[in-house]
Amino acid sequence: MKFSILLLFIFALLFAPTNIHAQSFSFELAPKQYEIVSQRNKNITLPYTLTNYGDPQVITLSIYTLKITDNEGNYNVSPYKGTDTSITFSIAGSNVALDSPFLIKGKNTLDFDLEISVPEGIKESDYTFSLVAEIEPQKGFENTSTIMLQGGIGSNIVLSVSDSGNLDQKGNIVQYELLTNKIITLFDKKIAFFNSGEPIPVLLIASNTGTNAVKTSGSITLISNNKNKRIEQPSFTISPQYIFSGSQRLLKTSNTFCKNNTDDICKKPHSLIIKSPFIGLYTISSVISFGENAQISYGAITFFTFPFVYATIIFLVIIILILLLPKIRRSIKK
């Protein structure tokens, strides 16, 4: 009875919506991600550091499997249940163990080694896991490199099993377009039209055509067809992002247009949003690198930008002035 009351009291403290609790929970699990290539029938040791910057907490270290749910890098997670014939995990030493709660003091650091055993009969393929330190039931992930739970944090493990050590990493761009219906075809070339200053959403989706996970990176650059202005145009970096075998990924750039913007255009999937230049013919060029072999894919989209709104207003003003000019002259003569 006393234990039940104590347990309820602890949960009440954990879930109480107070500023003190929000400020006191602060963990870091490093590194954020491991990328490993291993032969079968091998053991792997991964060093980790768990740091508690806040108050003392009871923590549980667990292994989860990751399954891709969409092309934006989101996963479904489920507790991993290893068997004698599958990949197994354990923590070296006797200080802590997987799935066993332990106390980590405030302003304290715990160093430990995660040991992975790769059995001889397992299939050569990619396996994705996450080591998670949590203080309450898992709720979901925020992104692919740092796993944030409602009461915990974790780190991805991308394990490629290959006896030869070689990886099949290939990919290509499957969709690269401007999200607009203002497009015409001229001389077998599609050209989009935008008003000056109008937001231009760009969508870039890449596909993994190999049998192993591939890390992509690259850039999207706005290029003016006016050679004198090319040096002035911005380039946006696509930071390294994983694409797992048989899947696609929406690649996002370093663009900050939507950082504090609540417009509807920011709520739709996109890789980049830029403001249309004032006037001219432009090309949005992309360069994507796939894997260690640095296979390169290119993309290019052309669009024309013009101050249509301002031009229309000026045109209407001119027409009105032309129509009113005779009346103005007659009034002056009188």
Side-chain angles (χ1 to χ4, degrees):
M1 181 67 179
K2 291 182 179 179
F3 176 77
S4 299
I5 295 173
L6 177 62
L7 187 63
L8 289 173
F9 177 72
I10 292 173
F11 271 89
L13 290 178
L14 287 176
F15 288 97
T18 65
N19 292 332
I20 296 176
H21 172 258
Q23 293 173 355
S24 64
F25 176 72
S26 180
F27 278 90
E28 180 182 22
L29 182 62
K32 295 179 180 179
Q33 180 161 298
Y34 273 111
E35 302 147 18
I36 315 157
V37 180
S38 173
Q39 296 175 321
R40 291 178 283 193
N41 196 26
K42 294 290 183 180
N43 294 323
I44 306 162
T45 300
L46 304 180
Y48 279 95
T49 298
L50 177 64
T51 304
N52 180 8
Y53 296 103
D55 297 334
Q57 294 284 1
V58 176
I59 296 295
T60 301
L61 293 171
S62 304
I63 300 294
Y64 287 85
T65 58
L66 311 181
K67 184 178 180 181
I68 301 167
T69 59
D70 55 33
N71 63 8
E72 295 188 52
N74 295 313
Y75 299 112
N76 273 337
V77 296
S78 58
Y80 177 67
K81 303 296 182 182
T83 65
D84 293 337
T85 58
S86 65
I87 296 172
T88 58
F89 296 83
S90 63
I91 294 179
S94 58
N95 292 334
V96 297
L98 290 175
D99 301 317
S100 297
F102 63 91
L103 176 68
I104 181 170
K105 296 179 180 179
K107 309 296 188 291
N108 207 346
T109 296
L110 173 67
D111 295 315
F112 62 92
D113 292 331
L114 179 68
E115 294 186 342
I116 306 175
S117 297
V118 182
E120 185 175 2
I122 200 170
K123 179 182 176 182
E124 291 185 280
S125 182
D126 285 341
Y127 299 88
T128 53
F129 306 96
S130 183
L131 173 66
V132 178
E134 55 186 326
I135 63 169
E136 60 184 6
Q138 167 263 329
K139 298 294 182 182
F141 291 139
E142 184 169 285
N143 56 51
T144 61
S145 60
T146 302
I147 300 172
M148 297 295 297
L149 284 77
Q150 184 169 336
I153 188 171
S155 173
N156 283 356
I157 302 171
V158 181
L159 173 60
S160 299
V161 178
S162 171
D163 288 340
S164 66
N166 297 323
L167 300 180
D168 178 26
Q169 296 181 321
K170 294 180 292 186
N172 56 31
I173 297 173
V174 295
Q175 188 175 357
Y176 185 47
E177 62 179 331
L178 303 180
L179 300 178
T180 179
N181 55 6
K182 296 179 290 186
I183 298 176
I184 66 169
T185 302
L186 188 63
F187 303 112
D188 295 326
K189 188 174 183 179
K190 291 184 178 180
I191 300 177
F193 287 82
F194 291 94
N195 187 57
S196 301
E198 180 182 354
I200 301 178
V202 183
L203 185 70
L204 172 59
I205 297 178
S207 174
N208 183 345
T209 58
T211 57
N212 292 105
V214 61
K215 184 185 289 185
T216 63
S217 60
S219 64
I220 297 178
T221 305
L222 178 64
I223 303 173
S224 173
N225 283 26
N226 184 339
K227 294 182 179 180
N228 297 327
K229 294 184 178 181
R230 288 191 177 182
I231 196 172
E232 303 173 6
Q233 307 313 318
S235 182
F236 303 92
T237 301
I238 298 174
S239 59
Q241 300 171 45
Y242 257 97
I243 308 178
F244 296 112
S245 178
S247 67
Q248 298 179 352
R249 181 75 183 270
L250 171 65
L251 301 182
K252 295 195 173 184
T253 72
S254 56
N255 176 244
T256 58
F257 178 88
C258 290
K259 187 174 182 179
N260 298 312
N261 197 322
T262 58
D263 291 347
D264 289 340
I265 194 171
C266 292
K267 299 175 183 178
K268 299 178 181 179
H270 63 272
S271 301
L272 168 69
I273 295 180
I274 60 175
K275 278 194 174 183
S276 172
F278 183 70
I279 190 170
L281 189 64
Y282 292 84
T283 298
I284 298 181
S285 177
S286 65
V287 180
I288 307 299
S289 172
F290 294 89
E292 296 179 356
N293 297 326
Q295 174 196 344
I296 305 295
S297 288
Y298 301 91
I301 309 172
T302 301
F303 70 92
F304 179 75
T305 176
F306 186 82
F308 294 104
V309 173
Y310 295 120
T312 301
I313 294 173
I314 293 172
F315 177 76
L316 291 175
V317 170
I318 292 173
I319 294 297
I320 292 172
L321 288 176
I322 291 174
L323 294 175
L324 293 178
L325 189 58
K327 293 183 179 181
I328 296 173
R329 286 178 177 176
R330 286 196 296 268
S331 298
I332 295 174
K333 289 180 180 180
K334 291 180 180 180

